[in-house]
Amino acid sequence: MPTNKAAWLTEAKAYPLQVNPAPYTSPGANEIVVQNAALGLNHIDYMIQSFAFIPFVYPVILGEEVAGTVFEVGSDVTRFKKGDRVFGLTASFLTKRNSEAGFQQYTIVEDSIASGIPKNVSFETAAGVPLGVATAAAGLFQEGYLALRYPSASTTPVSKNGDTVLIWGGASVVGSSAIQLAVAAGYEVVTTASPKNFDLVKKLGASEVVDYNSSNVVEDLVGILSSKAFVGGLDAVNSGGAVQAAAEVVSKLKGIKILATVSGVPDGISETVIVKPVLATTIKDNAVGKAVFHDYLPAALADGRFIPLETVTVGNGLESVQSGLDTLKKGVSAKKLVVSL
């Protein structure tokens, strides 16, 4: 049995994370153990560390995204074998098991939310993919949310005035994933971004983009979307009144008045709009996980149909996780921060 280490949050609001030994846990029937080579960093991690708004039993290991090689395979897993290059979303937020958290050398990942890494994709790039994709997929494809068609390798671009989705914050990690997933599912995408990222979101497949800082952003989006077959929206950023503005747009449109959001639901939202927060890990227990992580991502990454955000490696080793989170907290635009191991 190998030795394991983790970057531990030893108590509520403790700083910095402490690198200490951690147990090694063998996988269950539908799980794999990933020997991590790179870890994705996310806003939720420093927010938990700073504000302790999720009730954990401490000490706890954080981290939602891993990439590396399969070290051990559960008895019912047939897609992977030891030594395969893989990336995956961790499920520790739901299961409360430290063995399924990311910031350690060995992480248990459920088969339904793991993908093989193509030869042309690095561990670092792969480590930045899972949470953004899973969050976007949870809002776009799950029943009770937008319930869109699943992404397909054979989908051809749609013509304007077809079924159209609003993605608020298209240059974010979640937004960039959502644009590509929706386009691959056969939908037109209208999005928001800062002007410096207009070219990026159009490259990813958005047909129209509006500056979210514009005083006329709501009116401009309504003008664009009112002539289209609107099928719902996704707020992909948790700041700047995004959910309120996106909900105002949706309230003024005909069609499906559902807005999925990575934020909470604030007061004052129009009663005509259904605003639903998304949780990425919920897709592990339904058909969406398989549709995205099994059927779409491996091939789409391999042939360049899915383009991850630019990855920036901010350190090496578990000792770099804290400094990486500190960098992320200062603000990052249209990039994904990762740590190599």
Side-chain angles (χ1 to χ4, degrees):
M1 183 174 295
T3 58
N4 189 24
K5 286 185 177 181
W8 291 92
L9 181 61
T10 55
E11 60 184 11
K13 301 183 181 181
Y15 182 94
L17 300 176
Q18 299 293 320
V19 177
N20 290 315
Y24 173 87
T25 305
S26 291
N30 294 299
E31 300 170 339
I32 60 175
V33 174
V34 180
Q35 184 174 4
N36 296 323
L39 310 172
L41 304 179
N42 292 285
H43 296 286
I44 188 66
D45 296 309
Y46 71 69
M47 292 173 66
I48 290 171
Q49 183 181 27
S50 298
F51 303 111
F53 61 91
I54 295 179
F56 283 114
V57 176
Y58 295 93
V60 68
I61 306 171
L62 306 177
E64 298 75 44
E65 300 173 296
V66 300
T69 55
V70 176
F71 185 80
E72 192 174 353
V73 177
S75 59
D76 292 343
V77 175
T78 59
R79 291 196 304 138
F80 301 118
K81 64 182 185 303
K82 185 172 183 178
D84 284 349
R85 301 171 76 243
V86 296
F87 66 97
L89 177 71
T90 73
S92 59
F93 273 3
L94 282 184
T95 66
K96 305 302 186 207
R97 297 172 62 199
N98 280 324
S99 59
E100 295 185 67
F103 294 161
Q104 56 189 321
Q105 293 173 322
Y106 295 88
T107 296
I108 287 179
V109 177
E110 297 193 26
D111 174 72
S112 61
I113 45 177
S115 289
I117 302 176
K119 293 180 180 179
N120 59 315
V121 176
S122 69
F123 287 127
E124 287 74 18
T125 296
V129 171
L131 185 61
V133 165
T135 304
L140 295 176
F141 305 124
Q142 287 191 119
E143 294 295 328
Y145 290 83
L146 272 61
L148 304 184
R149 300 180 298 270
Y150 293 154
S152 168
S154 61
T155 297
T156 56
V158 296
S159 61
K160 291 186 178 181
N161 301 319
D163 290 345
T164 305
V165 182
L166 169 65
I167 307 296
W168 193 285
S172 66
V173 176
V174 174
S176 63
S177 298
I179 291 171
Q180 296 180 86
L181 289 171
V183 169
Y187 295 87
E188 183 179 354
V189 173
V190 174
T191 192
T192 66
S194 62
K196 66 181 179 181
N197 291 320
F198 279 13
D199 289 343
L200 169 64
V201 297
K202 288 183 177 179
K203 176 183 177 182
L204 298 179
S207 63
E208 304 265 7
V209 56
V210 175
D211 181 0
Y212 53 64
N213 288 315
S214 168
S215 59
N216 298 317
V217 60
V218 171
E219 292 77 10
D220 290 345
L221 287 169
V222 172
I224 293 169
L225 290 164
S226 58
S227 63
K228 301 179 185 295
F230 183 66
V231 296
L234 171 66
D235 158 38
V237 293
N238 184 17
S239 63
V243 64
Q244 293 94 332
E248 185 178 356
V249 173
V250 174
S251 73
K252 297 177 183 295
L253 298 172
K254 297 178 181 179
I256 298 173
K257 294 185 182 295
I258 297 178
L259 176 68
T261 178
V262 299
S263 181
V265 182
D267 294 333
I269 298 293
S270 170
E271 294 181 357
T272 65
V273 181
I274 299 172
V275 181
K276 300 191 68 172
V278 296
L279 181 62
T281 43
T282 55
I283 70 170
K284 75 183 183 67
D285 296 321
N286 57 48
V288 177
K290 179 180 182 299
V292 173
F293 279 83
H294 293 207
D295 301 335
Y296 172 71
L297 271 178
L301 281 167
D303 64 17
R305 281 180 292 114
F306 184 88
I307 304 171
L309 282 185
E310 179 185 349
T311 300
V312 178
T313 301
V314 290
N316 292 280
L318 291 170
E319 293 79 7
S320 297
V321 170
Q322 183 65 71
S323 60
L325 292 177
D326 294 343
T327 299
L328 182 62
K329 189 174 182 179
K330 295 175 183 177
V332 176
S333 176
K335 291 181 174 60
K336 179 69 183 188
L337 303 189
V338 301
V339 167
S340 294
L341 298 186

